[in-house]
């Protein structure tokens, strides 16, 4: 079998799909996007397609290595997201060729279903208590919320109190044992992160996410020492080498590599194994589309340390289109009691609605995250 074509499509709300065609008629789909830089990643995939046309799609590890090593420059969000989408599409082809889900080709599953959580509250969280209760009534056992809005390096205790009130509202609405994940979103700097982490302890959160940015990964240990709450991070790390430094720095309990940013299934499977060796849990980042989600579930299926999966149904970013719009086999993505079944279809597990993808890509989206500023006019982390 040989690769005969590589196509990229930008589709709403903010995603990028890759389609790899073969001379045997098997087609693989991947999701290659870096939110806010979708057309840059699509251009990168097109550039990489010079290495793909005519290659044997079954040799995933070799193709991955060519894309990573042979281009001399490596790593970072753009290159690794392009590789990620291509890698997912190649696994999709391999699974379809052998008529089996991808996880069967990676040793088989070590669980029957995967726990998932739901987002509440949006960019500027309000009414999270009611929203979380709604998710709980729908069967979810955990939600994630943004902790704060803009927060300066040294900011007011009023904003700290507002965070505590919101988290307290979820605890009151959903009970003592409901999972509450709190995403600092890299908005918080070390001085305030330490205060917030310590004060949030009384609400027993499931984890604190990106308490500071990974540029400051040496500070996770200090923040972890302030509180008895698991620390999660990793959505802005892109390779096993990035994660190696994270494990060396210490202080992190849960890693959140993104299957569409960190080199795809091939690389994240390796990163997951590195985490397992450090007794660190895996909770793949996935505020993206159906192919990214199904790819995550393939890795979750075979990773002992996978604890919970992010998914973007109902997330505030999904405007105009949502996850299942592009999926023909919607029944495979049903959430029951806060869990999703492992994918059952051959390949990644998504029967893509190609007609809709083509229709959407006629007017490519230009999604960008907002630029936030503090009251003094300086740029705030979003
Ligand atoms: Mg996050």
């Amino acid at each position: 079998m040989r690769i005969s074509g590589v196509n990229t499509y930008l589709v709403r709300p903010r995603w990028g799909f890759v389609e790899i065609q073969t001379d045997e008629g098997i087609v693989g789909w991947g999701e290659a996007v870096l939110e806010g830089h979708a057309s840059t990643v699509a251009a990168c995939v097109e550039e990489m397609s010079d290495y793909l046309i005519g290659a044997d799609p079954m040799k995933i590890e070799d193709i991955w290595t060519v894309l990573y090593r042979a281009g001399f420059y490596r790593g970072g969000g753009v290159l690794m997201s392009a590789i990620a989408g291509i890698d997912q599409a190649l696994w999709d082809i391999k699974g379809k060729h052998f008529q089996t889900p991808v996880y069967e080709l990676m040793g088989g599953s070590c669980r029957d279903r995967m726990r998932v959580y739901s987002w509440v509250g949006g960019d500027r969280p309000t009414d999270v208590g009611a929203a979380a209760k709604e998710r709980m009534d729908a069967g979810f056992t955990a939600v994630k919320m943004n902790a704060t809005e803009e927060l300066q390096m040294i900011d007011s205790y009023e904003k700290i109190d507002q965070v505590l009130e919101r988290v307290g509202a979820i605890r009151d609405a959903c009970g003592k044992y409901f999972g509450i994940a709190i995403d600092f979103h890299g908005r918080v700097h070390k001085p305030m992160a330490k205060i917030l982490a310590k004060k949030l302890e009384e609400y027993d959160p499931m984890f604190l996410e990106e308490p500071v940015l990974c540029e400051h990964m040496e500070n996770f240990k200090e923040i972890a020492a302030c509180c008895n709450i698991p620390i999660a991070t990793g959505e802005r790390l892109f390779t096993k080498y990035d994660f190696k430094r994270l494990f060396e720095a210490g202080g992190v309990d849960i890693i959140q590599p993104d299957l569409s940013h960190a080199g795809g299934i091939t690389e994240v499977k390796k990163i997951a194994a590195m985490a397992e060796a450090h007794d660190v849990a895996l909770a793949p980042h996935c505020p993206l589309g159906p192919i990214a989600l199904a790819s995550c579930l393939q890795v979750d299926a075979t990773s002992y340390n996978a604890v919970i999966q992010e998914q973007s149904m109902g997330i505030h970013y999904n405007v105009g289109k949502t996850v299942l719009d592009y999926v023909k086999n919607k029944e495979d993505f049903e959430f029951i009691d806060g869990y999703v079944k492992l994918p059952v279809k051959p390949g990644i597990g998504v029967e893509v609605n190609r007609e809709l993808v083509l229709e959407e890509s006629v007017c490519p989206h230009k999604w960008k995250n907002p630029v936030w500023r503090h009251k003094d006019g300086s740029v705030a982390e979003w």
Side-chain angles (χ1 to χ4, degrees):
M1 189 169 19
R2 297 287 153 185
I3 295 173
S4 55
V6 178
N7 300 315
T8 59
Y9 308 98
L10 300 191
V11 299
R12 282 184 297 168
R14 54 179 191 160
W15 306 331
F17 292 171
V18 182
E19 178 191 42
I20 297 187
Q21 297 163 328
T22 65
D23 59 1
E24 291 188 12
I26 298 178
V27 172
W29 288 87
E31 203 164 320
V33 69
L34 193 63
E35 304 93 299
H37 309 275
S39 43
T40 310
V41 173
C44 190
V45 169
E46 280 155 31
E47 200 170 52
M48 286 177 174
S49 69
D50 293 343
Y51 295 106
L52 301 175
I53 302 295
D56 177 356
M58 305 297 274
K59 297 181 76 173
I60 299 173
E61 193 72 35
D62 184 65
I63 291 174
W64 196 101
T65 305
V66 167
L67 298 179
Y68 182 77
R69 293 185 186 273
F72 190 74
Y73 295 101
R74 60 199 64 188
V78 173
L79 292 173
M80 296 310 293
S81 296
I83 292 177
I86 293 166
D87 180 81
Q88 292 169 12
L90 295 176
W91 278 106
D92 197 28
I93 290 168
K94 190 180 271 274
K96 285 171 177 168
H97 175 77
F98 287 112
Q99 283 294 299
T100 185
V102 166
Y103 65 78
E104 294 290 6
L105 302 171
M106 296 193 295
S109 63
C110 62
R111 57 176 48 80
D112 302 325
R113 54 188 188 154
M114 189 65 201
R115 190 182 178 201
V116 288
Y117 64 82
S118 183
W119 263 92
V120 291
D123 270 345
R124 297 184 180 280
T126 50
D127 292 334
V128 285
K133 180 67 171 52
E134 203 179 284
R135 302 297 200 279
M136 189 172 90
D137 292 343
F140 286 100
T141 58
V143 295
K144 188 163 87 180
M145 61 180 285
N146 278 313
T148 68
E149 302 182 51
E150 299 88 339
L151 202 71
Q152 284 194 305
M153 290 185 84
I154 299 293
D155 211 315
S156 74
Y157 279 86
E158 189 185 358
K159 286 190 184 172
I160 298 277
D161 284 344
Q162 288 164 355
V163 178
L164 302 180
E165 264 169 45
R166 288 191 288 263
V167 176
I170 298 184
R171 190 50 79 221
D172 289 346
C174 300
K176 187 167 164 36
Y177 301 117
F178 188 72
I180 308 174
I182 304 171
D183 192 352
F184 285 22
H185 217 253
R187 286 174 193 170
V188 186
H189 296 267
K190 189 175 72 161
M192 300 307 284
K194 289 196 296 184
I195 296 168
L196 250 183
K198 192 169 170 57
K199 287 187 176 260
L200 281 168
E201 211 178 36
E202 66 168 293
Y203 297 100
D204 292 338
M206 185 164 60
F207 58 78
L208 302 183
E209 175 170 327
E210 279 195 318
V212 291
L213 287 164
C214 274
E215 285 99 307
H216 308 297
M217 62 171 68
E218 66 281 3
N219 292 334
F220 287 128
K221 247 185 177 167
E222 193 178 333
I223 294 161
C226 297
C227 63
N228 274 320
I229 309 172
I231 302 293
T233 195
E235 68 188 71
R236 292 187 246 195
L237 299 177
F238 306 108
T239 63
K240 61 178 93 67
Y241 311 106
D242 292 345
F243 280 91
K244 175 177 72 173
R245 291 185 188 96
L246 183 70
F247 296 132
E248 283 167 359
V252 171
D253 304 294
I254 302 169
I255 56 156
Q256 303 170 301
D258 188 306
L259 269 283
S260 284
H261 302 334
I265 290 171
T266 300
E267 185 74 345
V268 174
K269 182 77 180 112
K270 294 173 185 176
I271 292 167
M274 290 164 69
E276 188 182 353
H278 286 84
D279 213 11
V280 166
L282 172 73
H285 181 248
C286 191
L288 297 173
I291 306 165
L293 175 59
S295 298
C296 291
L297 293 173
Q298 301 293 345
V299 170
D300 293 331
T302 65
S303 299
Y304 173 76
N305 51 339
V307 287
I308 198 162
Q309 178 60 54
E310 181 171 34
Q311 54 79 31
S312 81
M313 290 179 218
I315 204 170
H316 46 291
Y317 304 123
N318 291 352
V319 178
K321 285 278 177 288
T322 186
V323 180
L324 295 184
D325 290 347
Y326 298 99
V327 178
K328 286 186 173 173
N329 54 323
K330 294 181 177 33
E331 65 283 359
D332 291 346
F333 293 88
E334 207 185 338
F335 300 148
I336 299 170
D337 300 331
Y339 287 83
V340 64
K341 283 180 300 181
L342 301 181
V344 290
K345 287 256 182 302
I348 295 280
V350 179
E351 232 178 283
V352 175
N353 182 344
R354 188 171 192 269
E355 297 70 38
L356 181 62
V357 171
L358 292 179
E359 194 184 306
E360 274 294 304
S361 68
V362 172
C363 294
H365 68 82
K366 289 196 168 187
W367 188 88
K368 294 262 187 309
N369 62 248
V371 176
W372 281 5
R373 288 185 184 273
H374 294 297
K375 280 187 177 155
D376 64 5
S378 63
V379 171
E381 291 281 357
W382 168 77

